[in-house]
Amino acid sequence: MSDTILAPQALSMLSEEEQMFRQAVRDFAESEIQPHVSRMDEAAKFEPELLRKLFEMGLMAIEVPEQYGGAGGTILMASLAIEELARVDASAAIYVDVHNTLVTTALLRSANEEQKRRYLPRMATDLLGAFALSEPGSGSDAFALATRAELKGDHWELTGRKFWITSGAEAGIFVIFANVDPSKGYKGITAFIVEREFEGFSVGKKENKLGIRASSTTELILENCRVPVENVLGPVGRGYKISIETLNEGRIGIGAQMIGVMTGAFDATVRYVKERKQFGRTISEFQGVQFQLAQAATEIEAARLMVYNAARLKDAGQPFAREAAMAKLFSSQVANRVCSLCIELFGGYGYSKEYPVEKFYRDAKIGTIYEGTSNMQLQTIAKLLLK
Ligand SMILES: Cc1cc2nc3c(=O)[nH]c(=O)nc-3n(C[C@H](O)[C@H](O)[C@H](O)COP(=O)(O)OP(=O)(O)OC[C@H]3O[C@@H](n4cnc5c(N)ncnc54)[C@H](O)[C@@H]3O)c2cc1C
């Protein structure tokens, strides 16, 4: 065999740099975040100091080129960070996920040089980002959005309401989608870079949620919100394309979040079954329990490989939309199954907030909903399969 042909590598093999990065995030999550997790979940509030530390750790500009103050890394590295954070706290993971895989990605793909120089260095330092597509009346049917943008000389005026916006309470910069000409349908949708301080912009009600409770999810209110013309992101009328392409990448991040959530639940369960005794033996000695764990471990492995594969495809510049949708669909389904099993293996204790698995179970559910519900992933996969 010619030695110019690269030997195929196992998907789960990481470079030395990737291993060191993953270990650094794991150590940070366990030492700095873990002590606050249940208090933040109960209070439904993320510790501002931890947000600052996420920036300090370099976790908020993973894929941003060094010339804009980022780490010049890959989506695989972003996925490793999201997975490790979610192993401890899915809320911490989603702050990093949305900022990196949606907001930063949208700017890296579509911003002009001036916009990149103006925003990316700040987004690497302390400016948190949010991505606002959904509205009260449009979720899966995202392009039916009702927010309007009207050109008024040197600025646009945005009017409407955005719903379910992750990090809305803390973000300083928002990528907001609005329609400039509803007669053109989805071809009127345009992306805007909106700063929190812009006139006519305000943050509305914060949701009280089932899971990822420490992550803020808010309404945004746009009342003739003044956005300078230089803050249009990408061409006018191409917002639909920006949102589709950005969400394709974002789904890899949600897949990674789900891997982290189920791994956290599973690791705690493996420790527990080796300690808990019934019928004079640890419950891990029962073959019925062993088989349940073996099945779960197999599904986690499959889901992880799908997420890493989608990430590696994207990093290699190959098409990845189908694989990303599959990875998001499958990892969120497996996370729901595995976290449910973990509660059962903890027995009654699994149902109590004294133990960690009930939170993982609540946090797993969102994976089947945001960035496209499971049905929407199936629709994407089917469309790509049958085209
Ligand atoms: C915690 C949280 C955070 C979020 N963060 C953000 C964010 O940061 N930015 C943002 O823009 N949005 C965000 N969202 C919104 C999220 O993306 C939407 O909730 C999601 O896309 C589903 O839309 P919907 O809630 O309107 O449900 P609907 O679209 O009303 O769907 C309801 C049900 O109908 C099914 N359905 C709908 N249409 C079809 C169809 N054609 N075929 C088959 N089934 C269908 C769906 O699968 C689902 O089961 C967030 C949501 C939550 C809960």
Side-chain angles (χ1 to χ4, degrees):
M1 193 171 70
S2 156
D3 49 351
T4 56
I5 298 173
L6 284 175
Q9 287 210 336
L11 284 174
S12 55
M13 278 170 67
L14 300 178
S15 70
E16 209 177 310
E17 190 192 357
E18 287 161 351
Q19 284 177 45
M20 280 166 54
F21 176 73
R22 180 176 64 175
Q23 192 59 49
V25 182
R26 183 172 295 182
D27 293 344
F28 169 77
E30 288 174 354
S31 63
E32 302 275 344
I33 300 178
Q34 183 70 69
H36 305 282
V37 171
S38 75
R39 182 180 47 78
M40 294 194 303
D41 179 64
E42 199 73 34
K45 172 121 179 59
F46 199 71
E47 185 66 46
E49 180 64 10
L50 286 181
L51 209 50
R52 199 183 56 72
K53 286 185 178 168
L54 290 172
F55 276 101
E56 229 173 64
M57 276 285 292
L59 298 181
M60 301 308 253
I62 297 170
E63 289 181 83
V64 174
E66 287 172 17
Q67 68 189 104
Y68 304 113
T74 59
I75 180 78
L76 181 66
M77 290 177 87
S79 303
L80 293 172
I82 293 161
E83 176 184 338
E84 287 304 326
L85 292 170
R87 221 176 119 250
V88 169
D89 183 26
S91 290
I94 199 66
Y95 279 102
V96 170
D97 174 87
V98 168
H99 184 86
N100 280 277
T101 74
L102 295 184
V103 189
T104 303
T105 295
L107 263 71
L108 284 175
R109 276 178 175 278
S110 306
N112 58 37
E113 191 51 35
E114 205 280 313
Q115 291 168 335
K116 284 183 187 168
R117 272 201 243 129
R118 184 148 38 110
Y119 289 113
L120 291 175
R122 289 175 61 203
M123 289 170 68
T125 317
D126 59 6
L127 183 67
L128 185 69
F131 185 87
L133 179 64
S134 304
E135 299 185 359
S138 63
S140 300
D141 188 11
F143 296 159
L145 57 84
T147 299
R148 296 288 171 254
E150 228 184 305
L151 188 58
K152 300 271 170 111
D154 65 346
H155 69 275
W156 291 85
E157 276 186 16
L158 270 55
T159 302
R161 279 165 73 210
K162 293 290 171 183
F163 229 46
W164 307 115
I165 306 309
T166 298
S167 310
E170 302 90 354
I173 179 172
F174 299 79
V175 170
I176 296 184
F177 295 85
N179 200 317
V180 299
D181 184 357
S183 72
K184 291 192 178 144
Y186 72 91
K187 288 191 174 163
I189 296 173
T190 304
F192 296 86
I193 305 172
V194 177
E195 296 181 26
R196 197 182 183 95
E197 293 73 28
F198 282 179
E199 190 186 319
F201 175 91
S202 59
V203 174
K205 157 170 101 77
K206 184 175 150 201
E207 295 298 325
N208 184 7
K209 309 192 298 294
L210 169 76
I212 53 163
R213 287 176 51 76
S215 145
S216 68
T217 309
T218 70
E219 181 185 13
L220 306 182
I221 301 159
L222 303 155
E223 285 171 314
N224 301 320
C225 173
R226 279 175 76 100
V227 182
V229 284
E230 58 268 24
N231 275 37
V232 173
L233 178 64
V236 170
R238 297 299 285 269
Y240 72 96
K241 199 161 184 285
I242 295 173
S243 73
I244 291 176
E245 288 177 354
T246 307
L247 287 165
N248 280 340
E249 184 164 341
R251 286 177 190 132
I252 302 174
I254 301 303
Q257 185 197 30
M258 290 296 109
I259 304 296
V261 166
M262 62 180 136
T263 303
F266 189 75
D267 291 351
T269 305
V270 168
R271 284 193 297 275
Y272 182 79
V273 296
K274 289 199 259 185
E275 285 165 13
R276 174 72 174 169
K277 285 193 173 157
Q278 290 292 283
F279 302 97
R281 290 197 269 168
T282 64
I283 56 174
S284 64
E285 290 176 71
F286 299 119
Q287 195 181 52
V289 171
Q290 291 173 2
F291 282 10
Q292 286 174 300
L293 289 170
Q295 179 70 38
T298 305
E299 292 187 28
I300 296 172
E301 176 78 357
R304 178 176 280 115
L305 296 181
M306 288 174 79
V307 171
Y308 288 9
N309 186 48
R312 287 188 196 280
L313 283 172
K314 197 263 153 189
D315 285 331
Q318 299 290 319
F320 65 95
R322 189 180 73 148
E323 288 76 7
M326 287 174 166
K328 195 261 190 191
L329 171 74
F330 188 68
S331 59
S332 58
Q333 290 172 335
V334 174
N336 277 272
R337 279 202 289 278
V338 168
C339 292
S340 173
L341 170 71
C342 291
I343 294 206
E344 287 171 30
L345 289 176
F346 265 79
Y349 298 99
Y351 212 68
S352 158
K353 284 187 188 288
E354 292 291 308
Y355 291 83
V357 285
E358 66 83 34
K359 177 176 179 293
F360 285 118
Y361 178 73
R362 287 186 285 107
D363 287 347
K365 192 65 219 173
I366 192 59
T368 65
I369 298 170
Y370 57 15
E371 299 201 23
T373 63
S374 293
N375 275 355
M376 290 302 105
Q377 305 310 317
L378 290 168
Q379 194 184 69
T380 301
I381 297 162
K383 203 193 285 175
L384 292 168
L385 216 106
L386 299 169
K387 77 174 178 190

PDB file of all heavy atoms in Angstrom, residues 48-71:
ATOM      1  N   PRO A  48     -23.120  34.689  37.367  1.00  0.00           N
ATOM      2  CA  PRO A  48     -22.412  35.575  36.435  1.00  0.00           C
ATOM      3  C   PRO A  48     -20.900  35.361  36.431  1.00  0.00           C
ATOM      4  O   PRO A  48     -20.250  35.461  35.400  1.00  0.00           O
ATOM      5  CB  PRO A  48     -22.760  36.984  36.946  1.00  0.00           C
ATOM      6  CG  PRO A  48     -23.961  36.814  37.796  1.00  0.00           C
ATOM      7  CD  PRO A  48     -23.945  35.423  38.335  1.00  0.00           C
ATOM      8  N   GLU A  49     -20.368  35.029  37.606  1.00  0.00           N
ATOM      9  CA  GLU A  49     -18.925  34.812  37.708  1.00  0.00           C
ATOM     10  C   GLU A  49     -18.479  33.626  36.835  1.00  0.00           C
ATOM     11  O   GLU A  49     -17.389  33.633  36.246  1.00  0.00           O
ATOM     12  CB  GLU A  49     -18.597  34.548  39.194  1.00  0.00           C
ATOM     13  CG  GLU A  49     -17.157  34.291  39.541  1.00  0.00           C
ATOM     14  CD  GLU A  49     -16.254  35.484  39.261  1.00  0.00           C
ATOM     15  OE1 GLU A  49     -16.761  36.586  38.969  1.00  0.00           O
ATOM     16  OE2 GLU A  49     -15.023  35.275  39.299  1.00  0.00           O
ATOM     17  N   LEU A  50     -19.343  32.611  36.722  1.00  0.00           N
ATOM     18  CA  LEU A  50     -18.993  31.449  35.891  1.00  0.00           C
ATOM     19  C   LEU A  50     -19.003  31.811  34.412  1.00  0.00           C
ATOM     20  O   LEU A  50     -18.197  31.303  33.639  1.00  0.00           O
ATOM     21  CB  LEU A  50     -19.971  30.297  36.143  1.00  0.00           C
ATOM     22  CG  LEU A  50     -19.807  29.564  37.468  1.00  0.00           C
ATOM     23  CD1 LEU A  50     -20.830  28.436  37.574  1.00  0.00           C
ATOM     24  CD2 LEU A  50     -18.392  29.003  37.615  1.00  0.00           C
ATOM     25  N   LEU A  51     -19.919  32.690  34.049  1.00  0.00           N
ATOM     26  CA  LEU A  51     -19.976  33.152  32.663  1.00  0.00           C
ATOM     27  C   LEU A  51     -18.659  33.855  32.315  1.00  0.00           C
ATOM     28  O   LEU A  51     -18.065  33.631  31.261  1.00  0.00           O
ATOM     29  CB  LEU A  51     -21.163  34.118  32.519  1.00  0.00           C
ATOM     30  CG  LEU A  51     -21.844  34.208  31.164  1.00  0.00           C
ATOM     31  CD1 LEU A  51     -22.198  32.849  30.601  1.00  0.00           C
ATOM     32  CD2 LEU A  51     -23.120  35.045  31.301  1.00  0.00           C
ATOM     33  N   ARG A  52     -18.205  34.674  33.263  1.00  0.00           N
ATOM     34  CA  ARG A  52     -16.933  35.379  33.069  1.00  0.00           C
ATOM     35  C   ARG A  52     -15.793  34.369  32.901  1.00  0.00           C
ATOM     36  O   ARG A  52     -14.927  34.507  32.046  1.00  0.00           O
ATOM     37  CB  ARG A  52     -16.670  36.295  34.277  1.00  0.00           C
ATOM     38  CG  ARG A  52     -15.665  37.397  34.033  1.00  0.00           C
ATOM     39  CD  ARG A  52     -15.389  38.233  35.264  1.00  0.00           C
ATOM     40  NE  ARG A  52     -14.932  37.469  36.441  1.00  0.00           N
ATOM     41  CZ  ARG A  52     -13.730  36.911  36.558  1.00  0.00           C
ATOM     42  NH1 ARG A  52     -12.858  37.043  35.602  1.00  0.00           N
ATOM     43  NH2 ARG A  52     -13.409  36.223  37.649  1.00  0.00           N
ATOM     44  N   LYS A  53     -15.843  33.309  33.717  1.00  0.00           N
ATOM     45  CA  LYS A  53     -14.769  32.307  33.645  1.00  0.00           C
ATOM     46  C   LYS A  53     -14.796  31.514  32.343  1.00  0.00           C
ATOM     47  O   LYS A  53     -13.756  31.076  31.857  1.00  0.00           O
ATOM     48  CB  LYS A  53     -14.866  31.351  34.847  1.00  0.00           C
ATOM     49  CG  LYS A  53     -14.406  31.991  36.139  1.00  0.00           C
ATOM     50  CD  LYS A  53     -14.392  31.010  37.279  1.00  0.00           C
ATOM     51  CE  LYS A  53     -13.877  31.678  38.539  1.00  0.00           C
ATOM     52  NZ  LYS A  53     -14.092  30.872  39.741  1.00  0.00           N
ATOM     53  N   LEU A  54     -16.007  31.320  31.780  1.00  0.00           N
ATOM     54  CA  LEU A  54     -16.095  30.615  30.494  1.00  0.00           C
ATOM     55  C   LEU A  54     -15.360  31.410  29.413  1.00  0.00           C
ATOM     56  O   LEU A  54     -14.683  30.841  28.559  1.00  0.00           O
ATOM     57  CB  LEU A  54     -17.559  30.392  30.091  1.00  0.00           C
ATOM     58  CG  LEU A  54     -18.344  29.377  30.923  1.00  0.00           C
ATOM     59  CD1 LEU A  54     -19.826  29.407  30.554  1.00  0.00           C
ATOM     60  CD2 LEU A  54     -17.804  27.956  30.730  1.00  0.00           C
ATOM     61  N   PHE A  55     -15.489  32.744  29.491  1.00  0.00           N
ATOM     62  CA  PHE A  55     -14.752  33.597  28.547  1.00  0.00           C
ATOM     63  C   PHE A  55     -13.244  33.487  28.825  1.00  0.00           C
ATOM     64  O   PHE A  55     -12.451  33.292  27.920  1.00  0.00           O
ATOM     65  CB  PHE A  55     -15.186  35.069  28.689  1.00  0.00           C
ATOM     66  CG  PHE A  55     -16.437  35.407  27.912  1.00  0.00           C
ATOM     67  CD1 PHE A  55     -17.672  35.510  28.542  1.00  0.00           C
ATOM     68  CD2 PHE A  55     -16.364  35.644  26.544  1.00  0.00           C
ATOM     69  CE1 PHE A  55     -18.819  35.834  27.823  1.00  0.00           C
ATOM     70  CE2 PHE A  55     -17.509  35.971  25.821  1.00  0.00           C
ATOM     71  CZ  PHE A  55     -18.742  36.069  26.453  1.00  0.00           C
ATOM     72  N   GLU A  56     -12.902  33.577  30.116  1.00  0.00           N
ATOM     73  CA  GLU A  56     -11.496  33.556  30.521  1.00  0.00           C
ATOM     74  C   GLU A  56     -10.802  32.267  30.082  1.00  0.00           C
ATOM     75  O   GLU A  56      -9.643  32.264  29.701  1.00  0.00           O
ATOM     76  CB  GLU A  56     -11.459  33.630  32.048  1.00  0.00           C
ATOM     77  CG  GLU A  56     -10.517  34.661  32.612  1.00  0.00           C
ATOM     78  CD  GLU A  56     -10.723  34.715  34.119  1.00  0.00           C
ATOM     79  OE1 GLU A  56     -10.459  33.698  34.828  1.00  0.00           O
ATOM     80  OE2 GLU A  56     -11.191  35.762  34.559  1.00  0.00           O
ATOM     81  N   MET A  57     -11.556  31.154  30.130  1.00  0.00           N
ATOM     82  CA  MET A  57     -11.018  29.839  29.737  1.00  0.00           C
ATOM     83  C   MET A  57     -10.819  29.737  28.229  1.00  0.00           C
ATOM     84  O   MET A  57     -10.334  28.724  27.732  1.00  0.00           O
ATOM     85  CB  MET A  57     -12.036  28.748  30.120  1.00  0.00           C
ATOM     86  CG  MET A  57     -11.963  28.273  31.529  1.00  0.00           C
ATOM     87  SD  MET A  57     -10.537  27.204  31.795  1.00  0.00           S
ATOM     88  CE  MET A  57     -10.959  25.747  30.850  1.00  0.00           C
ATOM     89  N   GLY A  58     -11.284  30.736  27.479  1.00  0.00           N
ATOM     90  CA  GLY A  58     -11.151  30.691  26.016  1.00  0.00           C
ATOM     91  C   GLY A  58     -12.210  29.825  25.357  1.00  0.00           C
ATOM     92  O   GLY A  58     -12.044  29.378  24.220  1.00  0.00           O
ATOM     93  N   LEU A  59     -13.323  29.600  26.076  1.00  0.00           N
ATOM     94  CA  LEU A  59     -14.347  28.701  25.532  1.00  0.00           C
ATOM     95  C   LEU A  59     -15.397  29.424  24.700  1.00  0.00           C
ATOM     96  O   LEU A  59     -16.339  28.802  24.227  1.00  0.00           O
ATOM     97  CB  LEU A  59     -15.032  27.935  26.675  1.00  0.00           C
ATOM     98  CG  LEU A  59     -14.107  27.033  27.491  1.00  0.00           C
ATOM     99  CD1 LEU A  59     -14.882  26.309  28.578  1.00  0.00           C
ATOM    100  CD2 LEU A  59     -13.417  26.027  26.580  1.00  0.00           C
ATOM    101  N   MET A  60     -15.245  30.751  24.536  1.00  0.00           N
ATOM    102  CA  MET A  60     -16.292  31.489  23.833  1.00  0.00           C
ATOM    103  C   MET A  60     -15.866  31.951  22.445  1.00  0.00           C
ATOM    104  O   MET A  60     -16.567  32.742  21.809  1.00  0.00           O
ATOM    105  CB  MET A  60     -16.744  32.692  24.685  1.00  0.00           C
ATOM    106  CG  MET A  60     -17.271  32.287  26.048  1.00  0.00           C
ATOM    107  SD  MET A  60     -18.555  31.011  25.943  1.00  0.00           S
ATOM    108  CE  MET A  60     -20.007  31.956  26.336  1.00  0.00           C
ATOM    109  N   ALA A  61     -14.722  31.466  21.984  1.00  0.00           N
ATOM    110  CA  ALA A  61     -14.295  31.833  20.618  1.00  0.00           C
ATOM    111  C   ALA A  61     -13.469  30.680  20.057  1.00  0.00           C
ATOM    112  O   ALA A  61     -12.408  30.881  19.478  1.00  0.00           O
ATOM    113  CB  ALA A  61     -13.491  33.128  20.651  1.00  0.00           C
ATOM    114  N   ILE A  62     -14.009  29.481  20.201  1.00  0.00           N
ATOM    115  CA  ILE A  62     -13.221  28.287  19.876  1.00  0.00           C
ATOM    116  C   ILE A  62     -12.864  28.232  18.394  1.00  0.00           C
ATOM    117  O   ILE A  62     -11.729  27.950  18.023  1.00  0.00           O
ATOM    118  CB  ILE A  62     -13.973  27.011  20.335  1.00  0.00           C
ATOM    119  CG1 ILE A  62     -14.133  27.032  21.858  1.00  0.00           C
ATOM    120  CG2 ILE A  62     -13.228  25.744  19.886  1.00  0.00           C
ATOM    121  CD1 ILE A  62     -15.053  25.976  22.419  1.00  0.00           C
ATOM    122  N   GLU A  63     -13.839  28.536  17.531  1.00  0.00           N
ATOM    123  CA  GLU A  63     -13.577  28.440  16.090  1.00  0.00           C
ATOM    124  C   GLU A  63     -13.156  29.778  15.461  1.00  0.00           C
ATOM    125  O   GLU A  63     -12.947  29.844  14.265  1.00  0.00           O
ATOM    126  CB  GLU A  63     -14.829  27.935  15.371  1.00  0.00           C
ATOM    127  CG  GLU A  63     -15.145  26.481  15.626  1.00  0.00           C
ATOM    128  CD  GLU A  63     -16.384  26.075  14.849  1.00  0.00           C
ATOM    129  OE1 GLU A  63     -16.257  25.755  13.653  1.00  0.00           O
ATOM    130  OE2 GLU A  63     -17.485  26.101  15.429  1.00  0.00           O
ATOM    131  N   VAL A  64     -13.084  30.817  16.279  1.00  0.00           N
ATOM    132  CA  VAL A  64     -12.742  32.141  15.736  1.00  0.00           C
ATOM    133  C   VAL A  64     -11.245  32.196  15.423  1.00  0.00           C
ATOM    134  O   VAL A  64     -10.424  31.834  16.263  1.00  0.00           O
ATOM    135  CB  VAL A  64     -13.125  33.252  16.763  1.00  0.00           C
ATOM    136  CG1 VAL A  64     -12.641  34.614  16.296  1.00  0.00           C
ATOM    137  CG2 VAL A  64     -14.621  33.247  17.006  1.00  0.00           C
ATOM    138  N   PRO A  65     -10.877  32.640  14.223  1.00  0.00           N
ATOM    139  CA  PRO A  65      -9.449  32.747  13.894  1.00  0.00           C
ATOM    140  C   PRO A  65      -8.704  33.642  14.886  1.00  0.00           C
ATOM    141  O   PRO A  65      -9.284  34.584  15.439  1.00  0.00           O
ATOM    142  CB  PRO A  65      -9.447  33.364  12.492  1.00  0.00           C
ATOM    143  CG  PRO A  65     -10.799  33.073  11.934  1.00  0.00           C
ATOM    144  CD  PRO A  65     -11.737  33.044  13.105  1.00  0.00           C
ATOM    145  N   GLU A  66      -7.417  33.350  15.051  1.00  0.00           N
ATOM    146  CA  GLU A  66      -6.614  34.080  16.047  1.00  0.00           C
ATOM    147  C   GLU A  66      -6.582  35.580  15.762  1.00  0.00           C
ATOM    148  O   GLU A  66      -6.513  36.387  16.685  1.00  0.00           O
ATOM    149  CB  GLU A  66      -5.203  33.501  16.088  1.00  0.00           C
ATOM    150  CG  GLU A  66      -5.190  32.131  16.771  1.00  0.00           C
ATOM    151  CD  GLU A  66      -3.856  31.424  16.673  1.00  0.00           C
ATOM    152  OE1 GLU A  66      -2.851  32.092  16.380  1.00  0.00           O
ATOM    153  OE2 GLU A  66      -3.844  30.193  16.887  1.00  0.00           O
ATOM    154  N   GLN A  67      -6.654  35.959  14.470  1.00  0.00           N
ATOM    155  CA  GLN A  67      -6.586  37.396  14.133  1.00  0.00           C
ATOM    156  C   GLN A  67      -7.743  38.188  14.729  1.00  0.00           C
ATOM    157  O   GLN A  67      -7.666  39.402  14.881  1.00  0.00           O
ATOM    158  CB  GLN A  67      -6.564  37.598  12.610  1.00  0.00           C
ATOM    159  CG  GLN A  67      -7.868  37.207  11.953  1.00  0.00           C
ATOM    160  CD  GLN A  67      -7.796  37.199  10.433  1.00  0.00           C
ATOM    161  OE1 GLN A  67      -7.718  36.152   9.816  1.00  0.00           O
ATOM    162  NE2 GLN A  67      -7.815  38.393   9.834  1.00  0.00           N
ATOM    163  N   TYR A  68      -8.832  37.494  15.112  1.00  0.00           N
ATOM    164  CA  TYR A  68      -9.965  38.184  15.758  1.00  0.00           C
ATOM    165  C   TYR A  68     -10.039  37.833  17.255  1.00  0.00           C
ATOM    166  O   TYR A  68     -11.080  37.972  17.877  1.00  0.00           O
ATOM    167  CB  TYR A  68     -11.290  37.803  15.096  1.00  0.00           C
ATOM    168  CG  TYR A  68     -11.350  38.068  13.608  1.00  0.00           C
ATOM    169  CD1 TYR A  68     -11.424  37.008  12.710  1.00  0.00           C
ATOM    170  CD2 TYR A  68     -11.332  39.373  13.110  1.00  0.00           C
ATOM    171  CE1 TYR A  68     -11.477  37.239  11.339  1.00  0.00           C
ATOM    172  CE2 TYR A  68     -11.375  39.609  11.739  1.00  0.00           C
ATOM    173  CZ  TYR A  68     -11.446  38.537  10.865  1.00  0.00           C
ATOM    174  OH  TYR A  68     -11.488  38.776   9.509  1.00  0.00           O
ATOM    175  N   GLY A  69      -8.942  37.323  17.771  1.00  0.00           N
ATOM    176  CA  GLY A  69      -8.881  37.058  19.206  1.00  0.00           C
ATOM    177  C   GLY A  69      -9.368  35.688  19.627  1.00  0.00           C
ATOM    178  O   GLY A  69      -9.518  35.407  20.818  1.00  0.00           O
ATOM    179  N   GLY A  70      -9.625  34.790  18.659  1.00  0.00           N
ATOM    180  CA  GLY A  70     -10.126  33.460  18.998  1.00  0.00           C
ATOM    181  C   GLY A  70      -9.027  32.425  19.087  1.00  0.00           C
ATOM    182  O   GLY A  70      -7.837  32.752  19.012  1.00  0.00           O
ATOM    183  N   ALA A  71      -9.440  31.156  19.243  1.00  0.00           N
ATOM    184  CA  ALA A  71      -8.488  30.069  19.431  1.00  0.00           C
ATOM    185  C   ALA A  71      -8.122  29.393  18.110  1.00  0.00           C
ATOM    186  O   ALA A  71      -7.227  28.546  18.070  1.00  0.00           O
ATOM    187  CB  ALA A  71      -9.073  29.040  20.406  1.00  0.00           C
TER     188      ALA A  71
END
